[in-house]
């Protein structure tokens, strides 16, 4: 009884294509996204399809358990698995929110200047959150400090004040499949 | 990634249990398990195995590599080689810890196993320190790590930070 999910994925041309995944594969993808997000210094592409499908699976299972007869052991095993999945999902979303809060002017600028067809780094909810966060920060700074400054010092450019994500920071990579012909460029000082 | 998160990932590894209860096949989101019949071995993920053991619903079987003779050989090999040698499982450390903490009664010579695995871990950490040290001092941009296990990654966030700070200082001093 493995149902297959219709999943809107992206193929290598950037076009959208339906990809069919088993629930197990979906969870695997979620865990991948989670680990990538944890190890990457900047906010990665948003994966709304994965998040939505996982939430659907959890709701579906919740519903099934409610209707199932009281079989303590079976129900508790399902619940344990759901807790684990929920943990990964929450941790993934929290990691993203933390990066949004940390780099909010850059995240918003990137979204504003994003070319048509390129996937967004922010889900619609995250975008709304980032905008609100920006407005709130500006208001806060104004009320707490800026309005008490001499008139010519009352502006702050958050884009310049807030540090950018350090894309040169060191990361761990693991190769999943053997790849030929990848050139790792020798290090030169100009690369800094 | 911290140690708890590595352990979380390790808990997905499959182990064999001998249940003392009956249960039909269960269809988890992550895959199917069972059916469970008393006395018949079945493979389940570690998180479930530990839970069932805690509820006294099963016996755990040690993985095939968790044997004193085999581990002695591995430990000696690791000590002899300068580089990292392959480990029996990417999560050998976490598996050992969880199995020995919850099911030492199911594992023959548990104390010896614990010591042997700890020895291997200590040897590997020492190697990591040596290679990390030279990595930082020589300011290398990248380093290959063959046979590294995920658990080693959480010991080196400080390394990445050190490298980053060193590079930033260098750039700002130019």
């Amino acid at each position: 009884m493995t149902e297959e999910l219709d999943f809107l994925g992206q193929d290598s041309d950037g076009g959208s294509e339906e990809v069919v995944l088993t629930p197990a594969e979906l969870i695997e993808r979620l865990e991948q996204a989670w680990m990538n997000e944890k190890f990457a210094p900047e906010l990665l592409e948003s994966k709304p399809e994965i998040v939505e499908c996982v939430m659907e699976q959890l709701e579906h299972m919740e519903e099934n358990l409610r209707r199932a007869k009281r079989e303590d052991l079976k129900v508790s095993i399902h619940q344990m698995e759901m807790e684990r999945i929920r943990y990964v999902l929450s941790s993934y979303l929290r990691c993203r929110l933390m990066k949004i809060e940390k780099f909010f002017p850059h995240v918003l600028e990137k979204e504003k200047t994003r070319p048509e067809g390129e996937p967004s780094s922010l889900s619609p909810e995250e975008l709304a959150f980032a905008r609100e966060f920006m407005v709130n920060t500006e208001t806060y700074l104004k009320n707490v400090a800026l309005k008490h400054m001499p008139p010519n010092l009352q502006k702050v450019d958050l884009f310049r004040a807030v540090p950018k994500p350090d894309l040169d920071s060191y990361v761990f990579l693991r190769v999943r499949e053997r790849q030929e012909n990848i050139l790792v460029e020798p290090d030169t000082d100009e690369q800094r | 990634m911290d140690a708890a998160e590595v352990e979380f990932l390790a808990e997905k590894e499959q182990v064999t249990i001998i249940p003392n209860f009956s249960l039909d096949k269960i269809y988890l989101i992550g895959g199917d398990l069972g059916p469970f019949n008393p006395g018949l071995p079945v493979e389940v993920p570690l998180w479930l195995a530990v839970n069932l053991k805690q509820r006294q619903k099963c016996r755990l079987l040690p993985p095939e590599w968790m044997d004193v003779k085999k581990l002695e050989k591995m430990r000696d090999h690791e000590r002899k080689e300068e580089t990292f040698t392959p480990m029996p499982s990417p999560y050998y450390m976490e598996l050992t810890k969880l199995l020995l903490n919850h099911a030492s009664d199911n594992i023959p010579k548990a104390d010896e196993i614990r010591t042997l695995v700890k020895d291997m871990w200590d040897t590997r950490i020492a190697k990591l320190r040596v290679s990390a040290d030279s990595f930082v001092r020589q300011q290398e941009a990248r380093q290959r790590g063959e046979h590294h296990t995920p658990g080693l990654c959480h010991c080196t966030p400080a390394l990445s930070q050190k490298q980053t700070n060193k590079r930033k200082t260098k750039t700002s001093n130019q």
Side-chain angles (χ1 to χ4, degrees):
Chain A
M1 187 189 103
T2 40
E3 348 136 15
E4 289 188 333
L5 305 165
D6 283 331
F7 190 83
L8 213 57
Q10 300 238 277
D11 66 20
S12 52
D13 308 316
S16 287
E17 212 177 68
E18 283 225 352
V19 171
V20 169
L21 284 186
T22 63
E25 285 166 346
L26 172 67
I27 302 300
E28 192 61 48
R29 294 245 185 145
L30 172 66
E31 288 176 357
Q32 277 285 307
W34 173 57
M35 287 204 276
N36 284 339
E37 198 74 63
K38 274 210 166 277
F39 281 106
E42 55 160 356
L43 187 67
L44 298 177
E45 199 184 295
S46 145
K47 305 266 179 203
E49 342 71 59
I50 299 186
V51 173
E52 274 162 29
C53 285
V54 170
M55 300 224 36
E56 250 174 53
Q57 283 291 298
L58 288 175
E59 277 159 19
H60 191 72
M61 188 57 85
E62 202 72 80
E63 191 54 50
N64 284 348
L65 291 181
R66 252 198 299 261
R67 280 191 273 120
K69 49 185 166 48
R70 282 217 50 196
E71 264 183 85
D72 284 339
L73 186 57
K74 207 170 194 174
V75 166
S76 79
I77 295 178
H78 279 284
Q79 280 174 338
M80 276 193 280
E81 192 206 20
M82 287 201 297
E83 286 294 309
R84 286 178 64 89
I85 296 174
R86 266 195 208 109
Y87 164 68
V88 175
L89 185 59
S90 308
S91 183
Y92 170 66
L93 293 172
R94 264 201 310 263
C95 181
R96 290 178 60 82
L97 277 182
M98 187 200 78
K99 287 185 196 176
I100 293 174
E101 286 187 17
K102 198 166 172 189
F103 304 121
F104 65 94
H106 308 286
V107 162
L108 285 169
E109 184 63 28
K110 188 171 172 199
E111 179 61 21
K112 218 163 64 171
T113 57
R114 174 170 63 96
E116 186 83 33
E118 194 184 283
S120 175
S121 320
L122 296 165
S123 71
E125 294 85 2
E126 286 168 344
L127 180 57
F129 172 77
R131 287 192 177 134
E132 259 188 68
F133 192 85
M134 178 117 182
V135 166
N136 289 345
T137 308
E138 282 171 340
T139 311
Y140 170 71
L141 288 175
K142 187 162 117 199
N143 291 336
V144 158
L146 292 177
K147 72 180 185 192
H148 305 294
M149 303 282 192
N152 60 330
L153 290 175
Q154 281 188 6
K155 281 248 147 27
V156 77
D157 181 357
L158 287 174
F159 188 79
R160 289 180 52 201
V162 174
K164 277 196 160 108
D166 184 3
L167 297 180
D168 289 331
S169 64
Y170 290 85
V171 292
F172 285 98
L173 273 191
R174 192 170 80 204
V175 179
R176 295 172 64 207
E177 270 174 23
R178 194 181 169 80
Q179 300 281 337
E180 306 289 342
N181 302 324
I182 300 272
L183 182 64
V184 178
E185 282 169 18
D187 198 33
T188 58
D189 271 327
E190 287 83 54
Q191 275 189 341
R192 314 266 181 190
Chain B
M1 179 140 287
D2 61 30
E5 287 162 341
V6 179
E7 194 175 278
F8 180 82
L9 290 172
E11 286 173 341
K12 296 195 305 163
E13 295 285 291
Q14 298 281 93
V15 292
T16 312
I17 63 165
I18 313 249
N20 56 27
F21 61 93
S22 283
L23 194 58
D24 296 333
K25 208 164 175 192
I26 16 176
Y27 302 97
L28 293 182
I29 298 174
D32 303 341
L33 294 181
F36 298 83
N37 291 303
L40 294 180
V42 63
E43 279 210 349
V44 296
L46 186 59
W47 58 265
L48 181 58
V50 166
N51 185 272
L52 288 174
K53 173 73 186 177
Q54 285 174 321
R55 298 203 258 185
Q56 300 181 316
K57 289 197 163 301
C58 73
R59 193 158 54 89
L60 293 188
L61 291 183
E64 174 261 337
W65 52 265
M66 202 172 271
D67 157 271
V68 170
K69 288 263 175 311
K70 292 190 176 156
L71 286 174
E72 269 171 356
K73 269 179 82 175
M74 279 186 236
R75 178 204 54 186
D76 294 339
H77 185 46
E78 184 76 44
R79 277 180 177 167
K80 211 169 50 132
E81 298 293 316
E82 256 186 45
T83 54
F84 292 90
T85 63
M87 285 289 103
S89 152
Y91 297 106
Y92 72 97
M93 190 66 194
E94 295 76 15
L95 275 171
T96 307
K97 175 197 157 198
L98 285 170
L99 287 173
L100 291 181
N101 283 353
H102 296 283
S104 58
D105 53 330
N106 294 154
I107 302 185
K109 305 205 187 149
D111 286 336
E112 276 182 62
I113 306 250
R114 205 189 287 265
T115 315
L116 284 167
V117 171
K118 173 122 204 330
D119 285 346
M120 283 205 299
W121 172 262
D122 288 340
T123 309
R124 290 167 70 86
I125 288 286
K127 286 183 192 174
L128 186 66
R129 250 188 237 121
V130 162
S131 85
D133 216 33
S134 79
F135 180 62
V136 172
R137 255 191 278 116
Q138 287 162 30
Q139 288 246 293
E140 294 179 71
R142 60 194 65 80
Q143 190 168 60
R144 243 176 87 146
E146 285 214 30
H147 306 304
H148 275 205
T149 50
L152 287 178
C153 293
H154 90 81
C155 290
T156 51
L159 161 67
S160 319
Q161 201 49 53
K162 251 203 294 192
Q163 263 294 55
T164 308
N165 291 343
K166 193 158 186 183
R167 172 179 47 82
K168 283 185 172 159
T169 317
K170 179 178 175 187
T171 327
S172 68
N173 282 344
Q174 278 171 348

